[in-house]
Amino acid sequence: MPTSRRIRLTVNGKPHEVVVEPRTTLVDLLRGELALTGTHVGCEHGVCGACTILWNGKAVRSCIMLAVQADGADLMTVEGLAHDGQLHPIQQAFMEEHGLQCGFCTPGFLMSVYELLQRNPNPTDEEIKETLGGHICRCTGYQSIMKSVRLAAQKLKASSPPGPATGVS
Amino acid sequence: MAVEIPKSLADLPTSTPRFIGKAVNRVEDPQLLTGRAEFIDNVTLSGMLHCAILRSPHAHARIKSIDVREAEKLPGVVAVVTGEDATRWSQRITTVPEKWGTYCLAADKVRYVGEPVAAVAASSRYVAEDALELINVDYEALPAVVNATTAAAPDSPLIFEEHGSNVMLQRVFTWGDVDAAFAAADQVFTEKFRWNRLGANPLETFGVISQWDTTDGNLTCHGSFQSQYHMGLGTAAALGLPSNKVRMISQPHGGSFGGKGGMRGTVITALLSRKADGRPVKWIEDRMEYLAGGAGQSWDRHYEASLACKKDGTVLGFRVKLLDDLGATAEGFGAVSAAKPLTAFTGCYAIPVAQYDLTIVATNKLPGSPYRGMGPPPHNFVLEQMMDIAARGLGMDPAQIRRKNYIPPEAFPYTIASGNEYDSGNYEAALDTVLKMANYQQLRAEQAQARQQGRLLGIGLVNTIEPGVFDWNAYAIVGMQQTGVPEGATVGIDILGKIVAKIGFSLEGQGQYTVITQVLADYFGVELEDVRVVYQDSLSAPPHFGPGGSRLGVAITGAVLGAAERVKEKLVTVAARLLQSDPQNVELRDGKVGIKGVPQASMPIAQVAGAMLARSDLLPPGMDPNPEATYVWTAPGRTPADEQGRAKSYLTAANACHLVLVEVDAETGQVQILKYYIADDCGTRLNPANVEGMTQGGVAQGVGAALLEEYVYNEDGQLLTSTFMDYLLPTINEVPMTEKVALCTPSPFTPLGAKGVGEGAMHTTPAAIMCAINDALVPLGVRALEVPASPHRLWKLLQGKAKS
């Protein structure tokens, strides 16, 4: 067994120092030792998007990254969105537009939408589709997700939301 | 004691319902949006081990020996099980048809690629998977039987030697004088169709944690069980345990669509737990395991169909011959999907006679499982193509031939040839709605213009039935015996007037907790926040099934309303005493219990419930002081099947009319969906957002079925589509944003007039898209008869045309 490595990383604004096997995937570190189980594993081969998190502000698939790659990184997961029992405006928009059913893929969608609206507060439908095209939802048929993202953009413009725990270093 | 379940909103003890029928925010959502829902892989138990499963690389092989000694020595490994343990400690898994099952781990031979052969419990999944590499299995390869026609032949290699044949079931069901109808026809249209394997693929795979306490013999399983009750019975049977020793705890699950079976995984982890001295053992199926070895493959079908017609378009009879390739065993209960078409065999049409020539055959592929729609989606594809073929043959418009044959609104309740009874409907209204939405004549004009430019534009127009509120009797022809599917709920009011509903299913995505909350808030005249829905495990909840067969919205509404009625009766009895009146003069209305017609002589339900629980001195003598009651709802009027499989089975018949405009790219065979319109009638909508979500989600799965999704096996029985790179699920770029109109023909038979609606669009969309594609191909004189109509398949069809 290869030697374990000590790594330091920040997740949702909180610093962590952990020892991991080189083969441990990033999502297994998050869900296992860090107990952040909101990030879900849907395919484990980088297609479905359920495991999407933010890596230094960019949406990545944590199932096809190794934990050791996150040494020094600033990560944000779905747990970083809501604060003190208050849903983030994106979450609120998904609730109001019924943008989820089983909710398993939802954390991944939320993180990609968060990234999209950070860099582009006024996305066109085509731009929204380009972002959502990297995610599979088996329940909703996407129509309500589309509406959710449009509403989320409006909500974010209308209010200054609680700042992200982290995500951009 | 008989309970009168409210049949319409007007029957509720509420002047104006505030929540039922509204798209209220779902009570499920905050925990799902924040990632806090307790999906099975989020559950960790003390001392828990992790399981990995070794699977067969062969489609068909004898197991000569298995050597697990090296695996057992690996640090971190606690237990290893093989077929030897399975035969010692468990039984063959229950199947329909009967006796086409195996042990949870292959004992003598393997019958499909991906079949479990051995399993390891270790300190982590990583170590467990390391250990699999140390297990040595010596196989003797046998000839693989992959083709259904070959498998059905008498000289085929046998998958179960003891049966002497691979044919699991072969029967012809005849409903009425079919020969006479075909003899009387002006024209008979016949065609062959192929529907390839596809499947559910919920975003969460199956997972389970089993803990078998060998001292008291209790087995507890946490898992993503679609029906915990039935998984409990199956697990008890497989392990030879009394049913009350098996407790199933259903975690919220990330979708199911029928494809959340996990009998093997549940039994395997139970065996590992037993071997590991009762430590809990978790198994999370990974996606490649799901694709190759899970409950994700359905409907591998070869069809031949005939329609007998008069010149004026009247359909006199319908014949279907189906060769259904179920795969290696019948353990997935996929055979019920061959039976379910009986519930709506002739669709929306008043076709008086029909015949079903059904053969179910075993091959060396993954056993078939249920998938949303449970069999009618391919059947509807066949029926609706036949209607279009007939229309073209008779020179009619697709709308015209359908209109000619619809069951008229005044004919309900209407018994179809295959025995089921439709409760209500107005199919012509749905058709007219869609034609108007789409501006049909204009669309046809556009199509004519496009054709002149050499573009392949096609319109699909399909109206189907969604049989709702499933019943076991619908599957009698494959061996299901029961009639009725009970669903129970307990409803109580606490000492402070807050309401709790206890039910036997967990979150799956359809929003039923929200529906329960809406129904009870309106019934008792309280706010949504005053109602809480609490999950109970398989031994705690009243008899239940949970979601499946488009039943739960109707069934759970019946259950909670029945329980609420019983609570109401208690409240009225107590309030009458407190108000010194006769119970006959007391009623519940808008959250208060009081004397009829005397608004000032009333008290809030909280006050009555509080008196029941805290002022026994005020209660009538002998009064049950618990403001709580249980009711178990089951569909009324169901009948056992006759010898031809005919029964009053599914209680409701929702219907939907879809119109889709597609363009087929003549160069590439790519299909683009340009427009999509839906008129949908599922009776009373308890929560329109839930219905809309079910419909749109069904459209997406229908698009996948028609254009993308296919499990491909090669001639050796190797699965060639074992990742999401090869098995293509629809993304937002393939799924059309649909325009929808809701119609309402309430059911006369159900609580509040609602109809089952979880599967509707899946019944309709594949047929509609295929009709549209074939409409586009008319100028070329070719027909797309195979699903999915992938670019490659259509391109080949177009190329063949170009050559000829």
Side-chain angles (χ1 to χ4, degrees):
Chain A
M1 194 71 58
T3 331
S4 292
R5 288 258 314 268
R6 179 174 300 274
I7 62 168
R8 290 181 187 81
L9 70 168
T10 305
V11 187
N12 302 327
K14 229 175 127 186
H16 294 273
E17 189 172 326
V18 291
V19 175
V20 293
E21 275 185 40
R23 65 175 178 174
T24 304
T25 61
L26 179 53
V27 73
D28 282 351
L29 169 68
L30 291 169
R31 294 180 43 82
E33 183 156 351
L34 303 186
L36 294 166
T37 51
T39 303
H40 299 146
V41 180
C43 73
E44 266 186 303
H45 51 265
V47 177
C48 79
C51 66
T52 302
I53 62 164
L54 296 192
W55 170 294
N56 296 333
K58 283 209 158 53
V60 299
R61 308 197 166 201
S62 60
C63 76
I64 49 170
M65 299 195 72
L66 295 171
V68 290
Q69 290 177 275
D71 194 7
D74 188 358
L75 308 184
M76 180 177 171
T77 68
V78 69
E79 286 89 350
L81 285 175
H83 282 279
D84 200 21
Q86 288 293 307
L87 294 181
H88 186 278
I90 297 174
Q91 293 169 315
Q92 188 68 33
F94 269 70
M95 181 157 83
E96 289 172 22
E97 289 289 2
H98 293 253
L100 66 156
Q101 286 177 27
C102 82
F104 194 80
C105 69
T106 308
F109 272 93
L110 294 174
M111 299 319 289
S112 278
V113 171
Y114 181 93
E115 187 220 29
L116 169 70
L117 297 179
Q118 286 282 306
R119 72 181 146 78
N120 180 0
N122 299 298
T124 62
D125 279 0
E126 276 315 303
E127 287 166 334
I128 296 172
K129 279 175 94 168
E130 198 180 311
T131 292
L132 300 186
H135 291 261
I136 292 168
C137 168
R138 194 58 162 163
C139 296
T140 63
Y142 306 104
Q143 196 159 7
S144 59
I145 297 182
M146 201 59 201
K147 290 181 191 164
S148 303
V149 181
R150 289 187 199 128
L151 180 63
Q154 281 175 30
K155 279 182 184 288
L156 283 171
K157 275 184 287 182
S159 68
S160 68
T166 180
V168 186
S169 53
Chain B
M1 190 174 55
V3 169
E4 199 71 30
I5 308 290
K7 284 201 150 122
S8 73
L9 297 182
D11 297 336
L12 292 171
T14 310
S15 308
T16 316
R18 295 184 296 151
F19 305 114
I20 300 172
K22 308 265 183 344
V24 302
N25 286 348
R26 301 197 318 168
V27 301
E28 292 91 340
D29 284 355
Q31 59 172 312
L32 295 168
L33 285 161
T34 51
R36 289 203 177 89
E38 284 276 280
F39 293 111
I40 181 65
D41 199 16
N42 298 358
V43 178
T44 300
L45 301 180
S46 170
M48 188 174 82
L49 300 169
H50 299 264
C51 162
I53 296 174
L54 184 71
R55 293 171 180 278
S56 168
H58 296 281
H60 200 189
R62 207 162 295 289
I63 297 172
K64 289 166 74 182
S65 65
I66 303 183
D67 184 349
V68 300
R69 284 170 297 179
E70 291 303 309
E72 283 173 334
K73 282 185 215 154
L74 185 74
V77 170
V78 178
V80 181
V81 290
T82 65
E84 202 183 312
D85 302 287
T87 50
R88 183 167 63 236
W89 288 336
S90 70
Q91 311 290 321
R92 285 167 184 262
I93 289 167
T94 313
T95 65
V96 286
E98 280 185 331
K99 298 190 166 70
W100 285 90
T102 67
Y103 294 92
C104 64
L105 294 162
D108 49 355
K109 63 176 197 171
V110 290
R111 294 176 171 86
Y112 59 92
V113 168
E115 180 166 9
V117 171
V120 174
S123 53
S124 78
R125 177 69 175 249
Y126 289 74
V127 173
E129 290 191 13
D130 289 343
L132 296 187
E133 292 179 19
L134 302 174
I135 297 175
N136 245 320
V137 188
D138 192 7
Y139 294 100
E140 178 195 337
L142 298 169
V145 188
V146 180
N147 178 290
T149 309
T150 315
D155 58 347
S156 170
L158 296 174
I159 294 166
F160 284 82
E161 283 79 3
E162 61 266 40
H163 291 307
S165 162
N166 295 321
V167 175
M168 293 181 175
L169 186 145
Q170 187 159 42
R171 264 191 77 182
V172 180
F173 302 92
T174 304
W175 306 302
D177 196 344
V178 180
D179 289 341
F182 274 76
D186 294 324
Q187 277 204 61
V188 172
F189 300 93
T190 298
E191 190 51 278
K192 289 182 177 174
F193 302 92
R194 173 82 172 108
W195 180 290
N196 287 288
R197 279 186 174 230
L198 80 177
N201 274 288
L203 253 283
E204 181 206 40
T205 54
F206 179 77
V208 62
I209 305 170
S210 296
Q211 184 163 23
W212 194 348
D213 186 330
T214 42
T215 47
D216 62 12
N218 289 333
L219 173 68
T220 304
C221 302
H222 296 252
S224 48
F225 308 123
Q226 180 173 341
S227 177
Q228 59 180 18
Y229 179 79
H230 280 268
M231 277 296 289
L233 290 181
T235 305
L239 293 169
L241 289 170
S243 47
N244 64 354
K245 289 280 183 187
V246 177
R247 180 168 161 245
M248 308 302 272
I249 300 172
S250 182
Q251 303 296 136
H253 29 295
S256 175
F257 317 110
K260 212 124 210 180
M263 190 50 75
R264 288 214 194 209
T266 303
V267 178
I268 288 168
T269 47
L271 297 180
L272 282 168
S273 175
R274 176 171 179 157
K275 213 165 189 180
D277 291 327
R279 286 175 71 174
V281 177
K282 178 194 250 187
W283 175 61
I284 302 296
E285 181 181 57
D286 72 29
R287 181 59 59 180
M288 288 174 74
E289 289 185 289
Y290 177 87
L291 290 164
Q297 297 192 12
S298 309
W299 313 337
D300 192 343
R301 295 185 169 178
H302 305 258
Y303 279 103
E304 184 174 335
S306 300
L307 210 56
C309 299
K310 290 209 294 195
K311 268 188 231 145
D312 68 355
T314 305
V315 181
L316 301 174
F318 182 39
R319 272 192 176 125
V320 177
K321 188 173 180 183
L322 168 60
L323 176 61
D324 191 17
D325 177 348
L326 196 62
T329 79
E331 71 192 68
F333 285 69
V336 299
S337 298
K340 188 181 164 189
L342 268 65
T343 62
F345 200 84
T346 40
C348 291
Y349 313 115
I351 304 175
V353 300
Q355 187 173 64
Y356 194 25
D357 179 343
L358 172 64
T359 302
I360 301 178
V361 68
T363 60
N364 289 119
K365 300 184 206 166
L366 179 65
S369 291
Y371 176 33
R372 194 178 207 168
M374 286 279 274
H379 181 87
N380 292 344
F381 153 67
V382 170
L383 171 59
E384 295 296 325
Q385 302 312 305
M386 291 308 300
M387 292 300 282
D388 275 7
I389 287 169
R392 281 187 203 105
L394 298 167
M396 295 175 79
D397 186 271
Q400 197 190 351
I401 195 169
R402 285 171 171 79
R403 198 186 294 280
K404 178 92 194 162
N405 288 286
Y406 282 146
I407 299 162
E410 64 277 9
F412 295 96
Y414 180 88
T415 301
I416 60 172
S418 52
N420 193 23
E421 179 188 73
Y422 294 170
D423 54 348
S424 66
N426 187 343
Y427 309 144
E428 201 164 6
L431 176 78
D432 285 331
T433 304
V434 150
L435 294 181
K436 197 170 159 213
M437 283 164 83
N439 204 348
Y440 185 59
Q441 292 312 325
Q442 171 74 27
L443 221 50
R444 284 286 178 206
E446 281 173 36
Q447 180 189 32
Q449 210 171 14
R451 276 181 179 167
Q452 284 186 347
Q453 300 159 359
R455 288 169 63 203
L456 302 175
L457 235 60
I459 299 168
L461 178 64
V462 165
N463 198 339
T464 66
I465 296 298
E466 175 182 6
V469 193
F470 97 84
D471 206 295
W472 296 115
N473 62 359
Y475 320 137
I477 64 166
V478 294
M480 286 291 189
Q481 300 295 330
Q482 307 97 305
T483 298
V485 188
E487 189 72 40
T490 300
V491 172
I493 306 176
D494 74 14
I495 195 167
L496 299 176
K498 301 295 180 190
I499 292 163
V500 175
K502 301 173 195 166
I503 43 87
F505 55 89
S506 60
L507 305 186
E508 189 173 271
Q510 303 93 332
Q512 281 105 355
Y513 280 38
T514 302
V515 170
I516 295 168
T517 307
Q518 290 172 276
V519 168
L520 288 175
D522 270 339
Y523 189 96
F524 288 110
V526 297
E527 300 303 319
L528 293 174
E529 296 73 25
D530 294 325
V531 180
R532 179 157 183 207
V533 183
V534 175
Y535 160 79
Q536 290 187 313
D537 67 51
S538 65
L539 296 184
S540 312
H544 55 281
F545 178 87
S550 293
R551 70 181 293 273
L552 194 53
V554 171
I556 198 62
T557 299
V560 296
L561 283 175
E565 287 285 321
R566 287 187 165 157
V567 172
K568 177 181 81 176
E569 216 158 300
K570 293 187 187 185
L571 297 176
V572 163
T573 306
V574 173
R577 175 90 171 188
L578 299 174
L579 295 165
Q580 298 178 343
S581 179
D582 187 283
Q584 300 217 319
N585 298 329
V586 174
E587 65 173 1
L588 168 70
R589 183 140 290 265
D590 299 326
K592 291 184 173 168
V593 197
I595 298 170
K596 291 174 190 170
V598 189
Q600 61 275 30
S602 69
M603 51 185 70
I605 56 165
Q607 198 178 339
V608 187
M612 288 173 80
L613 291 166
R615 289 298 303 271
S616 61
D617 55 308
L618 300 178
L619 301 185
M623 175 82 205
D624 164 15
N626 189 7
E628 179 181 274
T630 296
Y631 185 80
V632 180
W633 185 87
T634 193
R638 303 304 88 196
T639 56
D642 70 10
E643 86 293 344
Q644 290 294 314
R646 287 171 293 207
K648 283 189 188 181
S649 55
Y650 282 54
L651 180 65
T652 64
N655 81 286
C657 190
H658 290 206
L659 190 153
V660 54
L661 177 71
V662 304
E663 179 160 7
V664 180
D665 187 322
E667 298 288 312
T668 64
Q670 184 92 34
V671 175
Q672 205 186 345
I673 298 170
L674 303 175
K675 289 179 178 165
Y676 207 120
Y677 304 94
I678 299 173
D680 189 354
D681 185 349
C682 61
T684 306
R685 289 170 185 243
L686 303 172
N687 183 323
N690 282 0
V691 176
E692 162 121 15
M694 286 294 118
T695 304
Q696 181 66 19
V699 167
Q701 290 179 339
V703 168
L707 301 177
L708 299 167
E709 297 180 39
E710 179 179 0
Y711 289 102
V712 181
Y713 283 88
N714 73 5
E715 64 274 18
D716 300 324
Q718 292 292 336
L719 181 65
L720 305 181
T721 50
S722 57
T723 74
F724 278 169
M725 267 96 77
D726 319 299
Y727 186 88
L728 302 178
L729 294 173
T731 73
I732 196 168
N733 295 311
E734 289 80 44
V735 178
M737 302 294 128
T738 59
E739 212 173 293
K740 308 179 194 74
V741 166
L743 305 174
C744 180
T745 312
S747 173
F749 302 145
T750 65
L752 306 182
K755 297 185 181 184
V757 73
E759 302 163 294
M762 186 58 181
H763 284 292
T764 322
T765 301
I769 293 174
M770 292 307 295
C771 282
I773 291 170
N774 279 310
D775 189 49
L777 298 180
V778 164
L780 303 180
V782 291
R783 288 177 187 163
L785 303 171
E786 188 164 1
V787 168
S790 59
H792 178 63
R793 221 164 247 146
L794 288 184
W795 182 80
K796 278 211 303 202
L797 200 61
L798 297 170
Q799 289 300 107
K801 184 61 203 166
K803 274 185 211 133
S804 63

